Amino acid sequence: MSAAPSVSAPPSESESAAPSVSAAPQPNISEEPSESAVPSESQQPIVSGAPLSEMNIKHLDAMSISEATPVLAPPSESAAPSGSPQPNISAAPSESAAPSESAVPSVLPQQNVSAAPSGPAAPSESAAASESPQPSVSAAPSESAAPSESAAPSILSQQDVSAAPSEPAAPSESAAAQPNIYATPPGSAAPSLSSQPSSHAMIDLLKEKEIRFDDRDVDEEDIGEGLSKVLKLSQVVELISLQYNRFTLANGMISSALATNATLRELDLGDNQIGVPGAEKLADALKENRTLTTLRLPTNQIGDDGTKALAAALKVNVTLQTLDICDNLIGDIGAARLGGALKSNKTLLSLDLSCNYIENKGIESLSIVLSPDDNNTLRELNLGINHYGDEGAESLASCIKKNKSLVKIWVNRNNIGDEGGLVLEKALQSNDTVRELWFNGNSIGVKVYMKLLKVLQGRRE
């Protein structure tokens, strides 16, 4: 049996093999940690900084913080830097004080460093216990020196960061997401995909059917190249929404990609800065594109000249069904050009020209071409909030009498009085296809108002 350590007197020469409690224990660095001391890949702690390839971003996003990060025991201030497993070489606790948290050995099986003999003498019984997975702090600690339950390590729930082998750290939740234009919340800084989008971002985007990037205060310089690549490479994207930004389309990057895209169904560029140059580029794309069915361009200052380019595209386009160009400074000239396009276009179902500057001449030009001989496909026509009054209402009434395709018409807020209201009421009596006529916000009196309501009663689908 090996000699027990003496507290009151220094060891004699014959007892030099027994370690002294007051002396700092020497680490045994000759032995390699057992295989059980090295955690498997599933046991290794997740810490921030790992390459993206080691984790599934979407899986990480779906995990809670408590699920993604194990409970880590704080290392002592004197802990060795991460690398290969390091032994616990902190001084043995005195008899009167319990060991601090930093002095408690790591939960990974450690070698008994305090009980290792300093010379050739045989190790004590406590030193022999190093083969077991439970670490020993001192050769023979007294009852007062034993660590408390709160200080004792839990092998199941805690890991010693300093003892774990260094691995490429996994990304935290904030760092895991790659630049992703469909996941960025409104009002946040937009990621730049202009030069070299990350492979992970591109892969994610190419899998998405809907990409929404509204209200980001960006333009082609920020994400134009990334979007053009998505349009060229994606085989599933059906909707792209870019409302409330600064796109102009003037450089042709996005429009040229749209021309060859074979999957996109809806493009929303509302409240940007398209203007005449952008409308012309977009019109060129519409002449070649064969899949886009909905184009929304409200509030883009395209004017009559931009409308001219779009009207020319409508003459040859055979897929577009919905065109929204409200609030675009369009006057009678632009309306007349669209009317000319509707003569030959047989696919457009909905046209929104509200909030523009169309007067009676523009309404007359549209009304003429909406006869069954010229166009019998348009179903919805929004002419609300313009400037045509009773004269425009009369021109529209002549169209309603003959047209057999229109189902919904908006004439609200156009300064139409009783005269124009009565003309519309008579036109509806001879038309059985119009289901909805929105005429609120005009100067129509109560009697005429009630007549219009009566003739429309029961017509809504």
PDB file of all heavy atoms in Angstrom, residues 49 76 127 142 149 167 202 212 239 252 339 378 387 401 407:
ATOM      1  N   GLY A  49     -18.596  29.867 -36.509  1.00  0.00           N
ATOM      2  CA  GLY A  49     -17.452  30.041 -37.385  1.00  0.00           C
ATOM      3  C   GLY A  49     -17.233  28.932 -38.384  1.00  0.00           C
ATOM      4  O   GLY A  49     -16.320  28.995 -39.193  1.00  0.00           O
ATOM      5  N   SER A  76     -11.559  27.391 -17.551  1.00  0.00           N
ATOM      6  CA  SER A  76     -10.861  28.265 -16.597  1.00  0.00           C
ATOM      7  C   SER A  76     -10.024  29.277 -17.331  1.00  0.00           C
ATOM      8  O   SER A  76      -9.691  29.118 -18.490  1.00  0.00           O
ATOM      9  CB  SER A  76      -9.966  27.408 -15.688  1.00  0.00           C
ATOM     10  OG  SER A  76      -8.975  26.766 -16.454  1.00  0.00           O
ATOM     11  N   ALA A 127      -4.172   7.107  -8.254  1.00  0.00           N
ATOM     12  CA  ALA A 127      -3.571   7.342  -9.562  1.00  0.00           C
ATOM     13  C   ALA A 127      -3.964   6.263 -10.524  1.00  0.00           C
ATOM     14  O   ALA A 127      -4.102   6.486 -11.727  1.00  0.00           O
ATOM     15  CB  ALA A 127      -2.040   7.412  -9.432  1.00  0.00           C
ATOM     16  N   SER A 142      -9.847  15.055   1.457  1.00  0.00           N
ATOM     17  CA  SER A 142     -10.666  14.915   2.658  1.00  0.00           C
ATOM     18  C   SER A 142     -12.107  15.220   2.334  1.00  0.00           C
ATOM     19  O   SER A 142     -12.432  15.694   1.266  1.00  0.00           O
ATOM     20  CB  SER A 142     -10.165  15.880   3.740  1.00  0.00           C
ATOM     21  OG  SER A 142     -10.330  17.204   3.293  1.00  0.00           O
ATOM     22  N   GLU A 149     -22.003  18.984  -5.152  1.00  0.00           N
ATOM     23  CA  GLU A 149     -22.779  18.448  -6.262  1.00  0.00           C
ATOM     24  C   GLU A 149     -22.916  19.461  -7.373  1.00  0.00           C
ATOM     25  O   GLU A 149     -22.870  19.145  -8.536  1.00  0.00           O
ATOM     26  CB  GLU A 149     -24.187  18.095  -5.744  1.00  0.00           C
ATOM     27  CG  GLU A 149     -24.440  16.593  -5.747  1.00  0.00           C
ATOM     28  CD  GLU A 149     -25.844  16.324  -5.267  1.00  0.00           C
ATOM     29  OE1 GLU A 149     -26.762  16.506  -6.047  1.00  0.00           O
ATOM     30  OE2 GLU A 149     -25.982  15.969  -4.101  1.00  0.00           O
ATOM     31  N   GLU A 167     -12.118  21.958 -34.197  1.00  0.00           N
ATOM     32  CA  GLU A 167     -12.797  21.623 -35.439  1.00  0.00           C
ATOM     33  C   GLU A 167     -13.273  22.918 -36.071  1.00  0.00           C
ATOM     34  O   GLU A 167     -13.470  23.905 -35.387  1.00  0.00           O
ATOM     35  CB  GLU A 167     -14.021  20.727 -35.147  1.00  0.00           C
ATOM     36  CG  GLU A 167     -13.660  19.310 -34.732  1.00  0.00           C
ATOM     37  CD  GLU A 167     -13.130  18.508 -35.911  1.00  0.00           C
ATOM     38  OE1 GLU A 167     -13.372  18.916 -37.047  1.00  0.00           O
ATOM     39  OE2 GLU A 167     -12.460  17.494 -35.686  1.00  0.00           O
ATOM     40  N   MET A 202     -27.103  31.158 -54.716  1.00  0.00           N
ATOM     41  CA  MET A 202     -27.612  30.868 -56.045  1.00  0.00           C
ATOM     42  C   MET A 202     -28.393  29.560 -56.056  1.00  0.00           C
ATOM     43  O   MET A 202     -29.451  29.445 -56.677  1.00  0.00           O
ATOM     44  CB  MET A 202     -26.456  30.791 -57.045  1.00  0.00           C
ATOM     45  CG  MET A 202     -25.854  32.133 -57.410  1.00  0.00           C
ATOM     46  SD  MET A 202     -27.065  33.301 -58.087  1.00  0.00           S
ATOM     47  CE  MET A 202     -27.635  32.389 -59.521  1.00  0.00           C
ATOM     48  N   ARG A 212     -39.325  37.418 -53.659  1.00  0.00           N
ATOM     49  CA  ARG A 212     -39.864  38.737 -53.305  1.00  0.00           C
ATOM     50  C   ARG A 212     -38.753  39.569 -52.684  1.00  0.00           C
ATOM     51  O   ARG A 212     -38.153  39.166 -51.697  1.00  0.00           O
ATOM     52  CB  ARG A 212     -41.037  38.584 -52.330  1.00  0.00           C
ATOM     53  CG  ARG A 212     -42.198  37.791 -52.914  1.00  0.00           C
ATOM     54  CD  ARG A 212     -43.370  37.720 -51.940  1.00  0.00           C
ATOM     55  NE  ARG A 212     -44.455  36.925 -52.475  1.00  0.00           N
ATOM     56  CZ  ARG A 212     -45.408  37.397 -53.287  1.00  0.00           C
ATOM     57  NH1 ARG A 212     -45.391  38.685 -53.623  1.00  0.00           N
ATOM     58  NH2 ARG A 212     -46.354  36.610 -53.745  1.00  0.00           N
ATOM     59  N   LEU A 239     -42.611  33.763 -60.028  1.00  0.00           N
ATOM     60  CA  LEU A 239     -42.968  35.135 -59.632  1.00  0.00           C
ATOM     61  C   LEU A 239     -41.740  35.846 -59.079  1.00  0.00           C
ATOM     62  O   LEU A 239     -40.997  35.283 -58.266  1.00  0.00           O
ATOM     63  CB  LEU A 239     -44.071  35.108 -58.572  1.00  0.00           C
ATOM     64  CG  LEU A 239     -44.555  36.458 -58.018  1.00  0.00           C
ATOM     65  CD1 LEU A 239     -46.034  36.376 -57.657  1.00  0.00           C
ATOM     66  CD2 LEU A 239     -43.765  36.909 -56.792  1.00  0.00           C
ATOM     67  N   GLY A 252     -30.519  47.053 -69.537  1.00  0.00           N
ATOM     68  CA  GLY A 252     -30.932  45.873 -70.291  1.00  0.00           C
ATOM     69  C   GLY A 252     -30.543  44.540 -69.674  1.00  0.00           C
ATOM     70  O   GLY A 252     -30.836  43.488 -70.251  1.00  0.00           O
ATOM     71  N   GLY A 339     -55.169  51.555 -77.446  1.00  0.00           N
ATOM     72  CA  GLY A 339     -56.355  51.150 -78.192  1.00  0.00           C
ATOM     73  C   GLY A 339     -55.991  50.506 -79.519  1.00  0.00           C
ATOM     74  O   GLY A 339     -56.574  49.491 -79.911  1.00  0.00           O
ATOM     75  N   LEU A 378     -60.901  41.271 -73.849  1.00  0.00           N
ATOM     76  CA  LEU A 378     -60.647  42.037 -72.625  1.00  0.00           C
ATOM     77  C   LEU A 378     -61.838  41.908 -71.675  1.00  0.00           C
ATOM     78  O   LEU A 378     -62.983  42.142 -72.059  1.00  0.00           O
ATOM     79  CB  LEU A 378     -60.406  43.508 -72.962  1.00  0.00           C
ATOM     80  CG  LEU A 378     -59.833  44.358 -71.823  1.00  0.00           C
ATOM     81  CD1 LEU A 378     -58.383  43.935 -71.526  1.00  0.00           C
ATOM     82  CD2 LEU A 378     -59.876  45.840 -72.185  1.00  0.00           C
ATOM     83  N   HIS A 387     -59.794  61.929 -65.935  1.00  0.00           N
ATOM     84  CA  HIS A 387     -60.340  63.290 -66.092  1.00  0.00           C
ATOM     85  C   HIS A 387     -61.297  63.385 -67.281  1.00  0.00           C
ATOM     86  O   HIS A 387     -61.233  64.335 -68.063  1.00  0.00           O
ATOM     87  CB  HIS A 387     -59.193  64.299 -66.298  1.00  0.00           C
ATOM     88  CG  HIS A 387     -58.171  64.292 -65.211  1.00  0.00           C
ATOM     89  ND1 HIS A 387     -58.321  64.977 -64.026  1.00  0.00           N
ATOM     90  CD2 HIS A 387     -56.990  63.657 -65.112  1.00  0.00           C
ATOM     91  CE1 HIS A 387     -57.261  64.778 -63.249  1.00  0.00           C
ATOM     92  NE2 HIS A 387     -56.436  63.970 -63.895  1.00  0.00           N
ATOM     93  N   LYS A 401     -72.636  49.115 -74.767  1.00  0.00           N
ATOM     94  CA  LYS A 401     -73.804  48.622 -75.502  1.00  0.00           C
ATOM     95  C   LYS A 401     -73.430  47.497 -76.470  1.00  0.00           C
ATOM     96  O   LYS A 401     -74.218  46.562 -76.672  1.00  0.00           O
ATOM     97  CB  LYS A 401     -74.456  49.764 -76.287  1.00  0.00           C
ATOM     98  CG  LYS A 401     -75.171  50.787 -75.416  1.00  0.00           C
ATOM     99  CD  LYS A 401     -75.759  51.898 -76.282  1.00  0.00           C
ATOM    100  CE  LYS A 401     -76.463  52.960 -75.434  1.00  0.00           C
ATOM    101  NZ  LYS A 401     -77.018  54.066 -76.253  1.00  0.00           N
ATOM    102  N   VAL A 407     -66.409  42.364 -68.191  1.00  0.00           N
ATOM    103  CA  VAL A 407     -67.134  41.899 -67.015  1.00  0.00           C
ATOM    104  C   VAL A 407     -67.039  42.919 -65.874  1.00  0.00           C
ATOM    105  O   VAL A 407     -68.017  43.133 -65.151  1.00  0.00           O
ATOM    106  CB  VAL A 407     -66.571  40.535 -66.554  1.00  0.00           C
ATOM    107  CG1 VAL A 407     -67.252  40.082 -65.269  1.00  0.00           C
ATOM    108  CG2 VAL A 407     -66.749  39.495 -67.645  1.00  0.00           C
TER     109      VAL A 407
END
